[in-house]
Structure formats: structure tokens, C-alpha cells
């Protein structure tokens, strides 16, 4: 499948850019994440990484000419694949005189092997790492950021952003296909290549924007792998194999995570995949087994179900989404089943065997006398994620761990003085916004503060058949904590806004302390739940009570009124629910 290479956006106001230098020649093999050309936009010069692995089959734009951002400038194909006809004609623009290569200070230091001293070095350029680097630079620290792949980490490249792009587009397709008021929608076709092209453009725009932010804040960016050699010492190894030592007064480890795959399953990247592969695969299967009923599994099940695939979710635990409130789980499962998704809980996968162009998945339900087998076009392994400990020999370094995770104090400092760890490396909820919040706190603590991240107030979001936004205790957790609770609940079906939008499934649920009115947890499932949960987080952060949620006037008609009514229901005062005596 041909992949387009485009002029990236280096900021939201940047409109044009030009290639300064191609780092690869036409016909060269390229690896995803490898720098392939240098672009200049708005006086910012940046090395741009390849969006895919393959052959740089055609260079359309030679150095020198300025073109609009997101213009296609090259094509990457698989080995032996022909360049699509629309790109195979002439197309190369005659360049102006060759531009001399500019070598940045940090690149020169890395290639010469000379040691470089910083106030702060951040390892990993995901939502935790790049935010830490920007925060450090803005507070006056001489800061370097090391990233081995693409800026933005899993979130921007293989997680949050590409999945939301696909959820949006496939949901649009599903809604339009099922609409009773649109004409000629029975023959509606999904343009798969265009959907994945848009996804790539969204990712490239945001990744390029991060690159521009990093540079504009004066952060020195290194491409390569950073290995912790001890307190204050990082060994940088570039992709060409050269290495240099970087020293720093403080280090923040933000390595992120990678898919956790059961040892008996072999990932071939084609028929048996993780999200690292499937989000770049524009070939949509007619049938798929998703192993794992957590957040990743449910979001991917939604995407494939939206486009008409036969989806089976296999979860070894007693329910899907076990971190969420029981009422949320029940509604999500019911919605997925209503749409045709088969959900098998208390079920273990025994074998995954590729047979030609299909995959046999053998599974066994708890208590069953024998196993069963389903044959599908593709398998997605979504059995969670584990910390990426690349470059971290924890035993040799004496880094204390908590199971597979790096152990830190509340200040996020590890057992090595001056070395901090954030995000997926330290466990808890593996969320981009958690990592970003920890990044800010870690930098402030490096500067002398004594802050910590309140894990209880980190919101959780899911983009499944319905959106989920949640914060704080579930009903089960509150009961286990021996809290005397009352519950307020309001269905979307009783909301005027939800009826008008045609999205009436779901509810807002508030769990409050019956004695004090303290908000213990808020759970929303339904349209725009991921946006609405922010209000609850803010009120809880300010130590507001349940009453504060209904004493603040909500605009009408909006979905935010469901929170208002749920808060009223907590005191049996909901205007749009029958009175309970």
C-alpha cells in the first residue's frame, strides 16, 4: 500500500514549507521513524521522519520550492509495489541551487563523541516527555530531549490520536448508513484509503506541531536511544550506531510502554497484530477476534463493528472494562451486543494459529467441557501494555521497582538521586494526561517544590460504542472504602438535548457521601461523555459538594444538564424524573 509523505505543519499558523535537503535517495529503503528529509517552515528547520517502513519509491518535490503544508512530496511503497498512477507521471519540481546542510550544535556534539552537560535531560518524547522538556526549558533549565522513534510517543502515533480519528470517521459512516432521514444511504461506501490518509495527516500535523513547540522553547532534541548509566549520566546511541555520553543535573525517564503479548501468541504484523500494526493497516477485515476486553479492545471493537466487520471480543476476566463502574460496564456491553459484537467473558484463548489467509483462534469458556475454535480474517492482541524498560538495567543501576514498574516517591523521584520517572513507567492508569500532569509536577519538584499528582482526580475516558467519562470511586470502590453513599442518576433518554441529537443511550451517575455531600465519583456514558467529565473533575478539585453541581446553572438544551439532573436526583429533586416517595 502506497504511503504519502507530506510537508508537515510546524505550528497551527504555519501555511507553507520547503524541503531543504533529502536525507534519502529515490529507491532507498526507509524505516518508520527514520529521518528522511529536512524541512524549513516559518524559519524553523526540522528533520522529518518517515511515516512508514518501505521503499522511498518516488520523490515528487526536490529542494528549494515552497509549497503548502500537507502537500504530497514523496511516495513510500512496499518492496516490489508499483507507484500508483496518480503519482507516476513527472511531477518533480526543478530545484533552486542546492542548500548547504546546517548541523545543529547537539548533532555535532553527538557525532563527535563529546560530552554535553545539561540541567535536565528527558528520555522519551511522548505526552509525558515532551511536556517535561518544555516545562524544564520554560523554567530556565538547559534541557535536552531524547526520542528514539517519533515525537508524541504512543499517544500521537499509535494510540489516542489515530484511534480517535478512526472512531470519528467510522462512527460517521455508521450513523449515516443507519439514518432514516438521508436519501440513498443504503449504498453508502466507506472510502477506506481516504480514512487512513486522513488519520495519517492528523497524526503528522500533531507530531510536527510538537516538534515546533519543542524547538520554539529552546529544547535540544536528539534522535536515538537514551540509556541510563547512573545518576546524572545518559548514553545516547544514534541510529547509525554512534554514541556519546550526556550528563545532566537531573533526568526524567519517560520511556512509555509497549504492548504486552502473551508468550504463546506470535505477532506476524499481518494477520496477528497489536495496535502498533493494525492502526497503519488500511485493509479492513470482514471478521476479527480481539483478545482483551479492556479500553483498547473495546475501542477497536467499536471501530471494526462500525464498518460492518464481524467482531468477537474474548476476555479472560469476568467482565469487560473492569476498572469502570458496574452500571457503565453493563450499558457498554449491552450496546456492543445490540450492534452485533460477540463478547465472551471468563474465556481463555488457548491457541492462535495462522492458516493461509485466515487465523484459527481456539478458546475455552470457564467451566466448559472442551474448547471451541473460530476462524477469522485477523486477530488483534489487546491484552494490555507493559513499561518500556529499554535502556534501563534496573538491577545494575539499583533502581527500585514495584513489580514491572519503576518505583518513585510521591515527588516522582526514583531511588537514584536526581532521577525522576513518570507516565507508564511507574504504573497506575496508563493515560497520556496522567503522564503530562506528572511531567509538570516532576519539573516543579526539580525546581524545589514538593508537589504530587492526586491519582484519585485523574479522569478516565473511553471511546467505545458509547463514550465514557469517569473520575473518582466507582460504586463498588466506594462501598469497599466503607463510605456511606447516596447515588444520583439521570438517563440520557430523559434529556431534551439527547433526544434532539438522536443519541439517547447512556446516563450520568454521581456517587456522593451521604453525610457530607462530598463527591466521591462521577460516571457518564453517552454522547460527549469524555468532554463533560471535565466539569466534575474541576468541582472535585475545588472540593465542591454534590449540591455545587446543581446550584450552577446549565445552559438548555445541552447534554450538560444530565449532570445537573443527576446531582438533583442525589437528593431526590430531579426535575425531569418521576418523584420517588
Amino acid at each position: 500500500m502506497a504511503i504519502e509523505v507530506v510537508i508537515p505543519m510546524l505550528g497551527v499558523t504555519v501555511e507553507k514549507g520547503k524541503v531543504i535537503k533529502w536525507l534519502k535517495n529515490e529507491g532507498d529503503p526507509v524505516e518508520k521513524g527514520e529521518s528522511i528529509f529536512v524541512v524549513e517552515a516559518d524559519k524553523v528547520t526540522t528533520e522529518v521522519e518517515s511515516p512508514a517502513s518501505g521503499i522511498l519509491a518516488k520523490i515528487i518535490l526536490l529542494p528549494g520550492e515552497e509549497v503548502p503544508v500537507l502537500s504530497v512530496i514523496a511516495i513510500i511503497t512496499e518492496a516490489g509495489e508499483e507507484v500508483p498512477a496518480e503519482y507516476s507521471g513527472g511531477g518533480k519540481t526543478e530545484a533552486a541551487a542546492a542548500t548547504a546542510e546546517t548541523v545543529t550544535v547537539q548533532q555535532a556534539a553527538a557525532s563527535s563523541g563529546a560530552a554535553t552537560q545539561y540541567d535536565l535531560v528527558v528520555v522519551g518524547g511522548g505526552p509525558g516527555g515532551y511536556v517535561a522538556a518544555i516545562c524544564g526549558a520554560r523554567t530556565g533549565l538547559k534541557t535536552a530531549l531524547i526520542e528514539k522513534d517519533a515525537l508524541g510517543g504512543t499517544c500521537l502515533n499509535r494510540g489516542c490520536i489515530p484511534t480517535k480519528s478512526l472512531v470519528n470517521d467510522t462512527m460517521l459512516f455508521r450513523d449515516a448508513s443507519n439514518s432514516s432521514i438521508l436519501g440513498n444511504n443504503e449504498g453508502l461506501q466507506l472510502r477506506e484509503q481516504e480514512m487512513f490518509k486522513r488519520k495519517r495527516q492528523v497524526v503528522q500535523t500533531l507530531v510536527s506541531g510538537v516538534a515546533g513547540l519543542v524547538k520554539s522553547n529552546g529544547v535540544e532534541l536528539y534522535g536515538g536511544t537514551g540509556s541510563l548509566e547512573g545518576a546524572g549520566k545518559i548514553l545516547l546511541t544514534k541510529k547509525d550506531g554512534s554514541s556519546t555520553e550526556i550528563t545532566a543535573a537531573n533526568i526524567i525517564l519517560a520511556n512509555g510502554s509497549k504492548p504486552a503479548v502473551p508468550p504463546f501468541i506470535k505477532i506476524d504484523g499481518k494477520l496477528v497484530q497489536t495496535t502498533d500494526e493494525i492502526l497503519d493497516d488500511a485493509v479492513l477485515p470482514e471478521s476479527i477476534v480481539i483478545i482483551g476486553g479492556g479500553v483498547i479492545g473495546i475501542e477497536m471493537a467499536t471501530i471494526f463493528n462500525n464498518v460492518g466487520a464481524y467482531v468477537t471480543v474474548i476476555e479472560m476476566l469476568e467482565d469487560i472494562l473492569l476498572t469502570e463502574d458496574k452500571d457503565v460496564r453493563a450499558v457498554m456491553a449491552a450496546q456492543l451486543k445490540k450492534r452485533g459484537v460477540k463478547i465472551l467473558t471468563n474465556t481463555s484463548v488457548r491457541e492462535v494459529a495462522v492458516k493461509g489467509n485466515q487465523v484459527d483462534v481456539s478458546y475455552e469458556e470457564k467451566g466448559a467441557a472442551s474448547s471451541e475454535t473460530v476462524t477469522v480474517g485477523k486477530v488483534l492482541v489487546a491484552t494490555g501494555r507493559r513499561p518500556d524498560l529499554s535502556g534501563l538495567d534496573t538491577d545494575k543501576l539499583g533502581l527500585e521497582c514495584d513489580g514491572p514498574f519503576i518505583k518513585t516517591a510521591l515527588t516522582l523521584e526514583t531511588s537514584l538521586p536526581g532521577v525522576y520517572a513518570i507516565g507508564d513507567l511507574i504504573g497506575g492508569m496508563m493515560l497520556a494526561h496522567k503522564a503530562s500532569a506528572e511531567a509538570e509536577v516532576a519539573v516543579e519538584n526539580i525546581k524545589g517544590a514538593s508537589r504530587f499528582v492526586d491519582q484519585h482526580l485523574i479522569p478516565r475516558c473511553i471511546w467505545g460504542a458509547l463514550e465514557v467519562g469517569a473520575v473518582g470511586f466507582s460504586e463498588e470502590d466506594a462501598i469497599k472504602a466503607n463510605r456511606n453513599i447516596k447515588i444520583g442518576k439521570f438517563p440520557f433518554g430523559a434529556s431534551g438535548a439527547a433526544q434532539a441529537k438522536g443519541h439517547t443511550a447512556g446516563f450520568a451517575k454521581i456517587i456522593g457521601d451521604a453525610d457530607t455531600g462530598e463527591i466521591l465519583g462521577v460516571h457518564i456514558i453517552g454522547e460527549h461523555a469524555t468532554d463533560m467529565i471535565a466539569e466534575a473533575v474541576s468541582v472535585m478539585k475545588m472540593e465542591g459538594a454534590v449540591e455545587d453541581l446543581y446550584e450552577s446553572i446549565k445552559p438548555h438544551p445541552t447534554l450538560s444538564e444530565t449532570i445537573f439532573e443527576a446531582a438533583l436526583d442525589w437528593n431526590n429533586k430531579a426535575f425531569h424524573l418521576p418523584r420517588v416517595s
Side-chain angles (χ1 to χ4, degrees), residues 71-109:
S71 295
V72 179
I73 61 170
I75 300 298
I76 294 173
T77 65
E78 295 182 356
E81 180 185 4
E82 294 292 329
V83 176
E86 62 263 37
Y87 305 113
S88 59
K92 285 192 180 180
T93 305
E94 291 300 322
T99 304
E101 181 179 4
T102 301
V103 181
T104 63
V105 174
Q106 64 268 31
Q107 289 171 327

Side-chain angles (χ1 to χ4, degrees), residues 5-54:
V5 180
V6 302
I7 291 285
M9 291 182 65
L10 295 179
V12 294
T13 61
V14 175
E15 296 180 352
K16 294 184 177 181
K18 63 181 176 182
V19 174
I20 299 300
K21 179 182 177 67
W22 281 99
L23 304 177
K24 290 286 185 177
N25 296 317
E26 192 171 282
D28 284 351
V30 294
E31 294 293 329
K32 183 178 180 180
E34 178 183 14
S35 295
I36 57 173
F37 68 94
V38 181
V39 65
E40 181 184 279
D42 199 21
K43 300 182 180 180
V44 176
T45 302
T46 305
E47 287 190 7
V48 179
E49 299 172 342
S50 174
S53 297

Side-chain angles (χ1 to χ4, degrees), residues 204-406:
Q204 183 65 62
T205 297
L206 293 174
V207 171
S208 299
V210 171
L213 289 172
V214 167
K215 287 184 177 291
S216 69
N217 280 279
V219 176
E220 296 187 16
L221 178 61
Y222 293 91
T225 300
S227 300
L228 182 64
E229 299 294 297
K233 294 182 180 179
I234 293 287
L235 181 66
L236 170 67
T237 303
K238 299 187 73 178
K239 291 181 180 179
D240 63 7
S242 62
S243 61
T244 186
E245 183 180 280
I246 300 176
T247 59
N250 299 281
I251 294 170
I252 294 179
L253 303 174
N255 299 40
S257 62
K258 54 188 177 181
V261 179
F264 67 90
I265 299 178
K266 182 181 179 181
I267 303 297
D268 66 5
K270 299 292 185 181
L271 299 181
V272 183
Q273 301 175 319
T274 69
T275 48
D276 282 359
E277 299 85 26
I278 204 165
L279 290 171
D280 280 330
D281 188 350
V283 180
L284 298 175
E286 294 183 0
S287 59
I288 185 170
V289 162
I290 297 175
I291 304 174
V295 174
I296 297 171
I298 295 306
E299 291 189 354
M300 295 305 299
T302 299
I303 291 170
F304 288 109
N305 173 254
N306 284 344
V307 297
Y310 180 78
V311 181
T312 301
V313 176
I314 301 178
E315 170 57 56
M316 67 180 298
L317 300 177
E318 64 267 25
D319 204 355
I320 61 171
L321 302 175
L322 266 181
T323 57
E324 299 307 321
D325 187 89
K326 61 182 178 65
D327 291 344
V328 168
R329 301 198 305 266
V331 170
M332 181 68 81
Q335 284 291 313
L336 288 168
K337 291 176 181 178
K338 181 180 178 182
R339 298 181 184 192
V341 176
K342 185 175 183 179
I343 299 177
L344 301 174
T345 56
N346 279 320
T347 301
S348 299
V349 173
R350 298 303 185 194
E351 185 181 14
V352 176
V354 175
K355 302 287 182 65
N357 293 324
Q358 295 182 312
V359 189
D360 289 345
V361 180
S362 298
Y363 61 89
E364 185 177 308
E365 295 187 60
K366 187 177 181 179
S370 61
S371 63
E372 297 185 42
T373 299
V374 60
T375 300
V376 291
K378 191 168 291 185
V379 170
L380 170 66
V381 181
T383 48
R385 300 184 66 84
R386 57 189 175 91
D388 185 353
L389 299 178
S390 302
L392 294 173
D393 188 333
T394 55
D395 291 335
K396 178 182 176 181
L397 292 165
L399 266 176
E400 288 187 34
C401 294
D402 183 5
F405 302 103
I406 303 297

Side-chain angles (χ1 to χ4, degrees), residues 435-513:
S436 297
E438 289 171 344
E440 183 182 4
V441 166
V443 172
E444 290 194 20
N445 290 340
I446 285 171
K447 297 287 289 184
S450 184
R451 286 189 58 201
F452 68 95
V453 175
D454 188 345
Q455 303 289 322
H456 184 68
L457 293 182
I458 297 174
R460 308 181 298 279
C461 296
I462 303 168
W463 285 260
L466 299 175
E467 288 187 21
V468 175
V471 62
F473 283 140
S474 66
E475 182 178 342
E476 303 96 308
D477 290 338
I479 291 172
K480 287 178 183 177
N482 295 317
R483 301 300 292 262
N484 181 22
I485 64 172
K486 286 199 306 183
I487 293 172
K489 196 172 181 181
F490 190 80
F492 272 45
S495 160
Q499 288 286 349
K501 290 174 179 290
H503 292 282
T504 57
F507 60 81
K509 177 178 179 178
I510 296 172
I511 303 161
D513 188 292

